[in-house]
Amino acid sequence: MEFRVLNYFLAVAREENITKAAQNLHVTQPTLSRQIAQLEEELGVKLFQRSNHHIILTEDGMILKRRAQEIIALAEKTKVDLNHGEQMLTGEIAIGSGEFQATAFLSELISAFHKRHPLVKYSIYSGNASNIHDYIERGLLDIALVSEPINIGKYDFISINQKEVWGALVRSDSDFAAKEFLTPEDLKDFPIIISSRDPVKEMYGKWLGTNANDLNIAAGGNLLYNMSALVSAGMGAAICVKLNCTYDNCKFIPLLPKIESSSFIIRKKDQVFSRATAEFIEFAKACLKSISNNSL
């Protein structure tokens, strides 16, 4: 299976038309049709359902599309990582991040490193913990900013000297909005909107004094903006960390007893990094050590 053929396959999947794909690829239609037929024969599956006017992916075709996109992306990333000069530091660093207070610190690190090495480029991926961990394992991300609850022992990591504060996003016109903090008694029977991740549910259930399976969950989600829209619509309170932003008709109220979680910059254990990524990691360590020493 060649990269060229995978690119041909992705072009056909994107256009859903052999003729248009052939034009974009600057190959003849018979050549492209033959390459796709040979790929199907090699894999032993049908990749497309064909009709008179267009073709669509089969279930096996959808699986190959996802894998092909990852393979091509990883190949391009490897090419960029290896194509560095002897003098000036170049390359691209793929960085993942959730939505945290510590994201501002990560941005400052990137900006400071960029001033030292202006030829280094950055690819920023935003996602939830599950997506980011998966991308780290597959090698599609070099490093990522994550926060507890997390099994940090799986990774090499750098601790960030900043705590994430948990609370509830509530409607601005609700009785909760006038409170300084929210207690388990306040939220005991109140419907919540919470991350789909089990560790977050377990953490909140422990704070509430109940089993995670007994939580009154109105909805699950992974992006706070979407969860805030449900809060505004009256679905419940969203359990989340405090961010430096506001949402329409919503107010953040911290929990009491407090729940605070640590943030980390993680990377895969025993991973061989590009020169740019390796130097960024050492730069981050030095910056955090300096901050820690100055705070003593």
Side-chain angles (χ1 to χ4, degrees):
M1 194 185 309
E2 301 176 8
F3 287 125
R4 173 178 55 84
V5 178
L6 288 180
N7 277 315
Y8 284 180
F9 163 75
L10 289 174
V12 176
R14 183 171 56 251
E15 297 295 339
E16 296 187 347
N17 184 285
I18 287 284
T19 301
K20 289 182 180 179
Q23 291 171 350
N24 291 338
L25 293 167
H26 304 292
V27 299
T28 65
Q29 181 177 336
T31 297
L32 183 56
S33 297
R34 184 169 60 253
Q35 292 286 347
I36 296 299
Q38 289 174 352
L39 180 61
E40 289 180 320
E41 183 178 353
E42 178 183 352
L43 297 175
V45 297
K46 285 291 183 183
L47 299 173
F48 295 98
Q49 292 285 355
R50 294 162 173 82
S51 69
N52 292 334
H53 302 293
H54 68 283
I55 59 176
I56 59 174
L57 288 169
T58 62
E59 186 173 333
D60 289 323
M62 292 178 186
I63 294 173
L64 179 60
K65 179 183 177 183
R66 185 170 65 252
R67 294 287 189 267
Q69 288 171 331
E70 293 177 354
I71 290 169
I72 297 299
L74 190 56
E76 290 298 322
K77 182 179 181 305
T78 302
K79 187 188 300 182
V80 171
D81 287 344
L82 295 176
N83 187 24
H84 59 74
E86 293 298 322
Q87 301 299 324
M88 296 289 288
L89 186 64
T90 62
E92 181 173 288
I93 306 174
I95 303 174
S97 179
E99 297 177 310
F100 310 113
Q101 291 269 12
T103 303
F105 175 74
L106 175 62
S107 299
E108 290 173 1
L109 275 180
I110 295 171
S111 179
F113 190 76
H114 181 65
K115 290 176 181 176
R116 291 191 179 193
H117 306 289
L119 297 184
V120 175
K121 306 297 181 184
Y122 306 87
S123 174
I124 309 299
Y125 173 81
S126 299
N128 62 16
S130 298
N131 294 339
I132 286 175
H133 296 171
D134 182 51
Y135 273 44
I136 283 278
E137 291 298 324
R138 295 187 185 193
L140 297 173
L141 290 175
D142 297 310
I143 60 175
L145 177 65
V146 297
S147 184
E148 296 175 313
I150 177 181
N151 181 10
I152 197 63
K154 293 177 58 179
Y155 305 97
D156 286 330
F157 63 89
I158 307 168
S159 297
I160 305 294
N161 299 325
Q162 183 171 352
K163 295 292 185 180
E164 304 294 335
V165 177
W166 287 81
L169 202 64
V170 301
R171 276 178 61 114
S172 299
D173 59 358
S174 69
D175 292 339
F176 289 154
K179 291 179 174 288
E180 185 178 351
F181 49 79
L182 293 174
T183 67
E185 187 64 28
D186 291 323
L187 294 172
K188 182 178 180 181
D189 298 315
F190 199 77
I192 59 167
I193 303 151
I194 195 168
S195 167
S196 301
R197 295 180 57 226
D198 288 338
V200 175
K201 296 175 186 176
E202 290 168 5
M203 179 190 71
Y204 177 70
K206 183 178 180 181
W207 176 84
L208 201 60
T210 189
N211 189 287
N213 294 326
D214 295 328
L215 297 177
N216 183 9
I217 299 176
N222 62 350
L223 292 175
L224 190 52
Y225 180 82
N226 292 339
M227 293 165 70
S228 72
L230 293 177
V231 173
S232 181
M235 282 281 289
I239 305 303
C240 59
V241 295
K242 183 178 181 180
L243 299 177
N244 292 327
C245 56
T246 59
Y247 299 96
D248 291 343
N249 197 29
C250 295
K251 183 179 179 181
F252 178 88
I253 310 294
L255 302 178
L256 190 73
K258 289 182 179 180
I259 301 181
E260 294 182 333
S261 55
S262 299
S263 296
F264 309 90
I265 295 176
I266 63 169
R267 70 265 195 200
K268 192 175 180 181
K269 284 187 174 181
D270 303 319
Q271 178 82 10
V272 178
F273 294 107
S274 68
R275 181 181 162 210
T277 300
E279 292 205 19
F280 180 84
I281 291 171
E282 292 306 313
F283 177 78
K285 287 180 179 179
C287 288
L288 285 163
K289 183 178 181 180
S290 175
I291 292 171
S292 178
N293 289 339
N294 290 335
S295 65
L296 295 177

